[in-house]
Amino acid sequence: MKKIIRVWDLPIRLFHWLLLICIIVSFISVKIGGNAMEIHARAGYCVLALILFRICWGFIGSHHARFINFIPKPRTLLSFVSGKTQAGLGHNPLGALSVLALIFSIGVQAVTGLFANDDISFEGPFAKYVSNSTVSFLNSIHHLNETVLIVLIALHLCAILYYYKYKGENLVKPMIMGDKEIDPSEEAKYSPTDLGQTSKDGGLQRGFALLLLSLIAVILTYLITA
């Protein structure tokens, strides 16, 4: 009988899929341009709210969502790459670095977008508070980071396909259902500590996450519209 362990709580799963939707909308709307830039801006605000939530949840969320439980130390990373370290139920060391890189890049994209100004159809809500040279500098970062973000997303998708095709591990299903099914014959692949750590995902946890995201959204909306 397979052992079922809750790895990703509902807040993390919703964060993941909502972020994906917002990023897709953001990419499509910016390519359309014109009036669609308003949609691009709103998608960017949602992305920023989600990233801020994920950062907070990385400190106060469930076990596998916390940074302290998946950010690898250099020794752990080298040990994993050399095949000496057992896999983790959540992010493995390389996956952890990928997640951090994505959070940072997406965060940079959302923040710089607040200061963007194309002198045609869009001006970020914070552009008026800084000099033209600063706006120009942040605009250049925004455009350059778009390429970086596309590369990181492509690598993320390639890793998912690699694990599915060559290691027989479906990384998408746990991010949908929350649970990871461990066959008794595969338990040796994981550390005993990880196998005993189930992420909390009850009503109280979910309610607190909703309250936190709502608070972030309200504060961000106030700052943007003030």
Side-chain angles (χ1 to χ4, degrees):
M1 182 180 293
K2 291 184 177 181
K3 187 174 185 177
I4 299 177
I5 300 176
R6 177 53 53 98
V7 178
W8 305 122
D9 58 35
L10 183 61
I12 281 293
R13 284 178 278 148
L14 289 178
F15 156 79
H16 182 277
W17 298 114
L18 287 174
L19 184 65
L20 174 62
I21 293 171
C22 289
I23 289 176
I24 291 174
V25 171
S26 182
F27 271 120
I28 293 175
S29 57
V30 77
K31 298 307 178 186
I32 295 174
N35 293 333
M37 288 303 294
E38 181 63 28
I39 297 176
H40 179 75
R42 292 181 182 278
Y45 302 151
C46 291
V47 166
L48 182 55
L50 288 168
I51 288 296
L52 290 173
F53 166 79
R54 180 63 183 91
I55 292 173
C56 293
W57 206 243
F59 292 99
I60 61 177
S62 59
H63 178 81
H64 294 286
R66 293 187 182 185
F67 298 131
I68 194 172
N69 291 327
F70 71 80
I71 295 179
K73 297 177 181 178
R75 183 185 302 174
T76 304
L77 180 61
L78 291 174
S79 181
F80 176 80
V81 172
S82 63
K84 298 177 182 178
T85 300
Q86 296 167 305
L89 279 176
H91 299 299
N92 64 46
L94 285 179
L97 293 183
S98 173
V99 168
L100 292 177
L102 279 168
I103 289 176
F104 178 76
S105 181
I106 295 170
V108 167
Q109 197 69 359
V111 170
T112 54
L114 296 174
F115 299 88
N117 186 356
D118 62 6
D119 294 321
I120 300 175
S121 58
F122 179 76
E123 180 181 19
F126 293 170
K128 59 188 175 184
Y129 298 119
V130 296
S131 64
N132 290 335
S133 60
T134 301
V135 168
S136 178
F137 173 69
L138 294 176
N139 267 336
S140 64
I141 292 179
H142 192 73
H143 290 295
L144 177 63
N145 188 61
E146 180 183 354
T147 303
V148 174
L149 185 54
I150 291 173
V151 171
L152 289 174
I153 292 174
L155 289 174
H156 188 68
L157 294 175
C158 287
I160 292 173
L161 290 174
Y162 170 78
Y163 269 82
Y164 182 75
K165 186 172 183 179
Y166 295 103
K167 295 202 171 189
E169 187 174 351
N170 189 335
L171 300 179
V172 176
K173 186 179 178 180
M175 190 54 74
I176 296 175
M177 306 303 295
D179 299 324
K180 196 161 188 177
E181 298 179 351
I182 309 296
D183 192 275
S185 62
E186 299 177 339
E187 287 191 21
K189 291 168 41 179
Y190 303 94
S191 68
T193 303
D194 261 355
L195 289 175
Q197 292 289 353
T198 298
S199 290
K200 292 182 180 180
D201 193 21
L204 184 62
Q205 184 98 350
R206 296 174 180 182
F208 180 69
L210 179 60
L211 179 62
L212 175 62
L213 180 59
S214 300
L215 182 61
I216 291 172
V218 169
I219 293 175
L220 192 58
T221 300
Y222 172 77
L223 292 175
I224 290 172
T225 57

